[in-house]
């Protein structure tokens, strides 16, 4: 039994083919293509050093879909908690949490890029 391919057009219409499922909208695919994961890694480190999330604005993460947006928001919250921490122990704990959230954000982008590539290969 063949799988269906559902491709979303910019006008939100769909067409089907019997190959695989492509369901990442074109605007999110474009944003994922424009997101350099090495640059993201460096920006996450910069955010941790600066204790501010503004460096992330250099990348189109807000256009990469809900999954990435959720991970970005979690990183921003963890970074804010870290920046407000006062005691040495609390700072160490919250830095660990912020670094972990940053890694999760990076992995989310990589996962979506991999998924997009896999769906494109299956669609060919």
């Amino acid at each position: 039994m063949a799988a269906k391919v559902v491709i979303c057009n910019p006008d939100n219409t769909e067409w089907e083919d019997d190959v695989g499922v492509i369901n990442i909208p074109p605007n999110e695919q474009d944003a994922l293509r424009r997101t350099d994961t090495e640059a993201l890694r460096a920006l996450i480190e910069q955010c941790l050093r600066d204790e501010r999330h503004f460096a992330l604005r250099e990348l189109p993460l807000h256009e990469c879909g809900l999954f990435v947006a959720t991970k970005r928001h979690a990183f921003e919250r963890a970074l804010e908690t870290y920046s407000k921490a006062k005691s040495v122990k609390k700072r160490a704990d919250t830095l660990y949490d912020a670094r972990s959230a940053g890694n999760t954000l990076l992995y989310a982008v990589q996962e979506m890029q991999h998924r997009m590539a896999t769906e494109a290969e299956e669609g060919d």
Side-chain angles (χ1 to χ4, degrees):
M1 182 174 165
K4 283 187 178 177
V5 173
V6 178
I7 301 172
C8 297
N9 292 316
D11 61 353
N12 289 327
T13 61
E14 298 178 350
W15 70 85
E16 296 181 8
D17 193 0
D18 289 329
V19 182
V21 177
I22 298 176
N23 56 12
I24 300 173
N27 60 323
E28 291 177 19
Q29 291 181 32
D30 182 53
L32 287 164
R33 278 187 211 96
R34 292 182 290 138
T35 302
D36 178 357
T37 55
E38 289 306 312
L40 176 57
R41 184 185 315 276
L43 290 172
I44 288 169
E45 287 302 317
Q46 180 182 341
C47 288
L48 291 168
R49 280 191 309 275
D50 297 346
E51 300 181 19
R52 303 178 68 119
H53 65 86
F54 299 120
L56 292 180
R57 292 181 181 170
E58 293 181 26
L59 296 174
L61 298 176
H62 62 284
E63 299 173 23
C64 290
L66 184 59
F67 181 63
V68 172
T70 302
K71 304 305 181 192
R72 178 185 173 173
H73 185 65
F75 175 62
E76 291 172 355
R77 282 193 324 258
L79 196 57
E80 183 178 349
T81 302
Y82 169 58
S83 71
K84 290 179 180 179
K86 301 292 182 204
S87 74
V88 173
K89 181 178 179 352
K90 185 71 171 179
R91 286 192 57 79
D93 291 345
T94 56
L95 175 59
Y96 177 84
D97 293 343
R99 189 172 303 282
S100 177
N103 287 335
T104 301
L105 170 60
L106 177 63
Y107 298 143
V109 170
Q110 291 172 331
E111 182 178 334
M112 291 303 294
Q113 288 174 334
H114 178 71
R115 180 176 162 205
M116 183 179 67
T118 301
E119 288 179 356
E121 286 175 10
E122 290 175 356
D124 291 338

